[in-house]
Amino acid sequence: MAGTSHGHTPAAWTGVIIAFIGFCVSGAFMVLANPIGFWAGLVVVAVGGVVGLAMKAAGMGAPKAEHEDLADVIAANRVPAKV
């Protein structure tokens, strides 16, 4: 996994940080027995996911891998016929 750039983007870091803050808020209010604060923290977790996806759509996520043309792959893997 160290050879890839999985998650090493501004979109991923921002989304995870916002979700982590929401998780901490929700956990604190759960211990304090405050249901409104608990649900507010879960809303912040969801907002973190939305922000991460929005930033990815804006081009701050990992670029999509380009696939090779199938015809080129087949031609490169073709075994020569025995004569």
Side-chain angles (χ1 to χ4, degrees):
M1 184 111 119
T4 64
S5 63
H6 175 73
H8 299 289
T9 63
W13 278 101
T14 304
V16 168
I17 289 171
I18 292 172
F20 181 71
I21 291 169
F23 174 78
C24 291
V25 167
S26 185
F29 280 109
M30 183 174 59
V31 171
L32 295 172
N34 185 337
I36 294 173
F38 170 77
W39 289 108
L42 289 183
V43 169
V44 174
V45 171
V47 167
V50 171
V51 168
L53 289 174
M55 289 179 68
K56 180 180 177 185
M60 293 185 225
K64 292 186 177 184
E66 293 185 20
H67 298 285
E68 296 182 47
D69 187 29
L70 184 58
D72 294 337
V73 173
I74 292 171
N77 292 327
R78 184 167 292 158
V79 179
K82 293 182 181 180
V83 181

